Amino acid sequence: MYYNYNIETNESEINMAFDLKTLLIVAAVMIGILAIVGLVLYFFARELFYNIITFFVVDNGKVGEHEKLLDPVPPPKKYRQKSSSEPLVEVCKLIRKSDDRLRIIEKDGTEKVTDAYYELVFVTRKQEELRVACSAEAYWKVPFECEGSLTYRRNTLVRFKYYKNKKEIIVQNQNDDEKK
C-alpha cells in the first residue's frame, strides 16, 4: 500500500540512493588508505616511492626535468686501481702516507720490525685517489705536496720523479731481490 504523506526529514541530510552513499564511503576509505600507504612509502622507503612516482611521471621515454630530480646521484669515484703488467704513468701529488708494522722488542733490548707494509696515497689531476704500495726507503723519501710523475705497476710503486729547486729527483722502489 502506498500512503501519500510527507516524511519528516532533517534538511541537512542529503537524500541519496543507498548505493551512491555506499560508493562514496568506499571511495573515501580507498583514498585515505592510498594516502597512508603513500606517506609510509615516502618516509620509510623513499627509493621505492621515487620508483613508483617515476613510473607514472615518465613521458614516453623522453627525459624531462622531473626525471633528473628523482634519479639518484652516483657517488664520485674514490679509488682507481689498474691491473696491468705494463708500468703506468700518472702526474699526481702525495696526500697521505700509511704504514702497518709489527714491532717486536725482546727482553734483552733488541728490536725488530716484521710484516712491514707501506702505502702511499696520491691524488691525480682528475682528483682521483691512487693507492700504491712501496718500500720503507721510498716511503720516507717521497715528499708531500710535490707534483711529480708517478710510475707504478699493479698498484706497486716503480718510481716517483719530481723537481725541487730546478733539480730532478727520482725516488725508486726497492724490490725484495735488491735488498738481499
Side-chain angles (χ1 to χ4, degrees):
M1 283 202 214
Y2 178 76
Y3 298 99
N4 193 3
Y5 61 90
N6 289 340
I7 301 173
E8 291 181 25
T9 61
N10 188 357
E11 289 187 23
S12 64
E13 186 178 335
I14 300 173
N15 292 328
M16 286 189 206
F18 176 74
D19 295 335
L20 187 59
K21 278 186 182 179
T22 308
L23 181 65
L24 287 174
I25 291 170
V26 168
V29 168
M30 293 292 284
I31 290 172
I33 290 173
L34 286 175
I36 291 172
V37 167
L39 288 173
V40 167
L41 283 176
Y42 180 74
F43 286 115
F44 297 110
R46 289 190 186 205
E47 186 175 344
L48 180 62
F49 177 77
Y50 287 140
N51 289 340
I52 291 171
I53 294 298
T54 54
F55 176 76
F56 291 109
V57 178
V58 173
D59 296 333
N60 297 329
K62 297 178 183 175
V63 176
E65 290 298 316
H66 56 278
E67 288 180 358
K68 292 178 184 175
L69 293 175
L70 296 177
D71 284 343
V73 178
K77 285 185 176 180
K78 191 168 184 180
Y79 303 111
R80 190 180 78 187
Q81 295 181 344
K82 295 182 180 179
S83 59
S84 173
S85 59
E86 294 296 318
L88 301 168
V89 179
E90 292 278 344
V91 175
C92 54
K93 64 174 123 176
L94 181 67
I95 58 169
R96 188 178 321 123
K97 294 180 180 184
S98 63
D99 62 355
D100 186 19
R101 296 176 277 181
L102 177 63
R103 186 179 310 227
I104 300 172
I105 302 173
E106 301 291 337
K107 63 181 172 182
D108 63 350
T110 60
E111 144 180 349
K112 64 180 178 176
V113 176
T114 60
D115 297 331
Y117 176 76
Y118 298 93
E119 183 178 70
L120 302 173
V121 181
F122 293 91
V123 63
T124 65
R125 288 186 174 173
K126 295 179 182 178
Q127 299 304 315
E128 295 175 334
E129 285 187 4
L130 187 61
R131 295 174 176 263
V132 293
C134 65
S135 65
E137 182 182 347
Y139 178 83
W140 295 111
K141 285 185 177 180
V142 175
F144 283 102
E145 296 299 325
C146 282
E147 188 170 83
S149 172
L150 170 70
T151 306
Y152 64 101
R153 176 185 292 133
R154 293 190 182 132
N155 297 329
T156 304
L157 177 75
V158 175
R159 79 179 135 160
F160 182 70
K161 179 171 66 170
Y162 65 98
Y163 291 92
K164 186 174 184 181
N165 298 332
K166 297 182 180 181
K167 183 179 176 189
E168 180 181 274
I169 300 172
I170 298 175
V171 177
Q172 291 190 339
N173 198 29
Q174 280 187 338
N175 293 335
D176 292 332
D177 299 334
E178 294 175 359
K179 289 180 183 177
K180 294 180 182 179

